[in-house]
Amino acid sequence: MIGWTDEQRTLRAAAAELGAAVGKDHLERDATGEFSRDGWALVRESGLLGLPFGTEYGGLGADLLTTMYVLEGLGEACRDGGFPFSVTTHVVSTGVPLHRFGSAELKARYLPGVCSGSAIGAHAISEPDAGSDMMAMRTTAVLDGDDYVLTGSKSFVSNGPIADTYLVYARTGKAGAPDAITTFLVERDSPGLHVGQPMGKMGLKTSPLSELFLDGVRVPATRVVGKVGAGFLVLDHVMKWEILLSFVVNLGEMEHRLRESVRYARTRKQFGAPIGSNQSVSNKLVDMRIGVETSRKWLYDTAEKLVARKNVTTDIAITKLVVSEANLASALAAVQVFGGYGYMTEYGVEKDVRNAVAGTIYSGTTEIQRQRVAAMMGLG
Amino acid sequence: MSRIDEITRYVVAEFAPDIRADELDADYDLLDNGVVDSLGLLRLIGWLGERYDLPVDDIDLAPEQFRSVRAVDAFVESALVKGPAL
Ligand SMILES: Cc1cc2nc3c(=O)[nH]c(=O)nc-3n(C[C@H](O)[C@H](O)[C@H](O)COP(=O)(O)OP(=O)(O)OC[C@H]3O[C@@H](n4cnc5c(N)ncnc54)[C@H](O)[C@@H]3O)c2cc1C
């Protein structure tokens, strides 16, 4: 078990305070699908957006485990599930790849905006005909003088409607080859870049998402992030961080949900006894607890392995699968424990089910994670 | 066994089990010819990192470095110069 320092605990408490403030009007904003601009102003002030990045860029220079621990606190306190999703998307979509693969010039120019939150980040990988099979993407980038010209469309871009900077993955090589994809930094006001309308969705309604259309967008070759043809490797690095940072937020949410469900099961009486005294109810709570503990172990063990520079390709796939499925199971169980109140919108329990379904789809679906583990076992 | 032989054996065992190690030319294009796909690339990098204790997370990775057995060998050589993983 990791022993957290006072400093780490203080950072987490600050994130929790922030999360509680942002989440205050979560039901109203979930109903209207509104991103919290006030929340973004608060998170900018807090310094949280620059947690894992170097102080020379305005970041806090925290390590991966500290960053996760603080984000877990945000998830535990923030009832607006879409908001932390936008926060982690911002951090991992632009900050993480720039920090690891960006040229000195790109880092100096763009990382301060990531850390301060003045330039919201997003990444565009999925396409109408290339979701799980991202290597089949059709968006092309063709070198023309000192620029690449990007043409194509992207289907689901989280933060798309509010972003200032997009990391767009496009094909520069032979379709399907591992060296076919390159990562480009594209500014929102680039001529030929069209951001679609926010798309309605089942959950995470307060985190806006849109399509992106690239119609001959010229991007200077200096804005390639990583090497030409290294987009798949850039994305692999991003996905490790995305899974750890985004799903540790879900761990915090599960912890909160478990606590509330136990409290309810101990106080809600039917047939003259607390509902939690029935084993069929307490079993659900025990399973929720197992989900929390298993998720915590997978998340932090995998992070420790990553920090120790071990190969985590299999671990990260298992972590993603375990935590996203545990979160969904926990959200469904909570609705059942709360009964009719769980099902009604105004109690805020059912919303978690809608949010949790998304986690089994983005960052690679549950099925694809199984495929990955199988591939790493030399199968398929 | 030389390092290049060891890498050849791994590539054949993992990605081309139908051929013998001595049939794989060290310059054969593994990427263009579909021997190593994107997930295969991750497996190969993971194996190299652990087998040779390479700081793969500190290196500016590019698929070019894994195009052929000879390229992989050169990658390991240059990564070792940078020092073992901490
Ligand atoms: C809330 C949300 C936010 C998102 N944010 C972003 C973002 O910011 N940027 C971005 O680029 N994308 C984003 N996505 C897109 C997401 O990454 C894709 O939806 C996901 O990769 C699946 O692709 P797809 O939707 O095209 O489904 P498909 O790939 O068409 O899959 C459909 C079904 O078939 C299954 N399937 C497909 N192939 C296989 C296989 N080989 N074996 C077994 N089953 C298989 C899948 O698991 C799934 O159940 C987001 C999605 C959601 C829901």
Side-chain angles (χ1 to χ4, degrees):
Chain A
M1 211 177 116
I2 305 167
W4 303 107
T5 64
D6 285 348
E7 196 187 347
Q8 289 167 321
R9 288 176 197 281
T10 305
L11 279 171
R12 178 172 167 138
E17 203 176 305
L18 168 86
V22 175
K24 263 189 193 135
D25 52 352
H26 69 107
L27 286 175
E28 293 81 354
R29 281 187 298 98
D30 190 66
T32 54
E34 190 192 326
F35 172 69
S36 177
R37 288 277 175 194
D38 293 345
W40 193 258
L42 285 177
V43 82
R44 286 189 61 181
E45 262 172 46
S46 75
L48 193 110
L49 300 170
L51 252 180
F53 306 122
T55 47
E56 66 274 35
Y57 307 112
L60 296 183
D63 58 23
L64 173 62
L65 286 131
T66 306
T67 304
M68 289 171 63
Y69 180 64
V70 173
L71 287 171
E72 185 186 331
L74 180 69
E76 192 177 1
C78 188
R79 299 285 55 80
D80 173 358
F83 187 79
F85 184 67
S86 274
V87 167
T88 55
T89 297
H90 164 80
V91 170
V92 300
S93 62
T94 44
V96 164
L98 277 170
H99 207 243
R100 165 75 174 85
F101 293 99
S103 65
E105 185 203 336
L106 284 179
K107 285 183 188 171
R109 180 155 177 194
Y110 293 100
L111 275 176
V114 174
C115 293
S116 74
S118 63
I120 297 182
H123 55 180
I125 306 120
S126 310
E127 296 186 357
D129 293 325
S132 301
D133 185 10
M134 59 86 73
M135 298 306 286
M137 68 173 58
R138 289 189 188 166
T139 297
T140 53
V142 178
L143 190 61
D144 180 28
D146 292 337
D147 298 337
Y148 278 90
V149 179
L150 273 65
T151 306
S153 64
K154 297 291 178 180
S155 43
F156 307 120
V157 182
S158 292
N159 285 354
I162 53 170
D164 302 282
T165 314
Y166 301 87
L167 253 67
V168 176
Y169 292 73
R171 195 152 62 72
T172 44
K174 188 177 139 193
D179 57 346
I181 310 293
T182 300
T183 312
F184 298 88
L185 188 147
V186 182
E187 292 184 353
R188 187 188 183 99
D189 58 7
S190 306
L193 183 76
H194 307 288
V195 179
Q197 289 300 311
M199 294 169 89
K201 48 187 156 53
M202 177 181 182
L204 297 177
K205 288 174 185 278
T206 57
S207 173
L209 173 150
S210 67
E211 293 173 294
L212 207 61
F213 305 97
L214 301 119
D215 185 8
V217 179
R218 296 193 81 85
V219 182
T222 51
R223 291 205 198 140
V224 168
V225 180
K227 296 247 166 68
V228 172
F232 180 75
L233 297 172
V234 174
L235 190 63
D236 180 60
H237 178 73
V238 168
M239 280 299 138
K240 286 176 188 153
W241 277 73
E242 175 163 309
I243 287 167
L244 294 173
L245 298 197
S246 164
F247 288 92
V248 84
V249 169
N250 289 162
L251 170 62
E253 291 167 354
M254 281 191 266
E255 285 160 356
H256 167 86
R257 192 180 302 131
L258 174 61
R259 213 167 38 240
E260 289 302 302
S261 301
V262 169
R263 188 189 53 75
Y264 190 75
R266 292 177 66 174
T267 51
R268 170 76 174 171
K269 286 190 176 157
Q270 291 294 286
F271 304 101
I275 57 168
S277 63
N278 301 293
Q279 213 174 45
S280 53
V281 174
S282 63
N283 279 351
K284 285 192 204 324
L285 299 163
V286 170
D287 286 347
M288 286 170 80
R289 171 81 189 261
I290 293 170
V292 165
E293 302 301 341
T294 314
S295 297
R296 184 182 294 119
K297 278 190 204 305
W298 273 104
L299 283 159
Y300 286 103
D301 284 3
T302 302
E304 283 188 313
K305 241 178 128 172
L306 184 64
V307 171
R309 300 172 179 200
K310 296 270 185 287
N311 179 15
V312 294
T313 304
T314 299
D315 307 66
I316 210 84
I318 297 177
T319 302
K320 199 277 170 174
L321 194 157
V322 165
V323 184
S324 62
E325 293 292 341
N327 190 32
L328 179 56
S330 141
L332 271 171
V335 169
Q336 202 67 20
V337 169
F338 280 84
Y341 298 98
Y343 193 76
M344 301 303 153
T345 308
E346 67 181 280
Y347 296 92
V349 180
E350 59 83 33
K351 179 166 62 73
D352 282 10
V353 178
R354 293 187 280 106
N355 290 350
V357 171
T360 67
I361 298 173
Y362 62 72
S363 314
T365 65
T366 290
E367 293 77 11
I368 291 302
Q369 302 307 334
R370 284 209 161 81
Q371 290 278 107
R372 281 207 148 200
V373 177
M376 295 306 286
M377 291 161 68
L379 304 164
Chain B
M1 194 182 355
S2 71
R3 191 172 61 213
I4 204 157
D5 287 342
E6 195 174 28
I7 295 167
T8 306
R9 279 187 184 216
Y10 174 80
V11 169
V12 166
E14 292 296 318
F15 307 111
D18 296 339
I19 63 167
R20 290 197 321 266
D22 58 10
E23 289 173 334
L24 180 65
D25 191 284
D27 293 312
Y28 188 72
D29 193 322
L30 302 171
L31 307 184
D32 262 9
N33 290 305
V35 177
V36 176
D37 64 6
S38 50
L39 280 180
L41 192 57
L42 296 184
R43 266 163 74 200
L44 177 60
I45 295 170
W47 177 75
L48 291 169
E50 290 195 343
R51 173 66 188 86
Y52 300 109
D53 196 19
L54 305 178
V56 283
D57 280 336
D58 296 337
I59 300 170
D60 207 359
L61 295 173
E64 273 316 301
Q65 294 148 331
F66 311 97
R67 187 162 289 286
S68 64
V69 168
R70 199 179 307 283
V72 173
D73 186 53
F75 165 77
V76 175
E77 186 63 40
S78 71
L80 284 173
V81 171
K82 286 178 198 263
L86 293 176

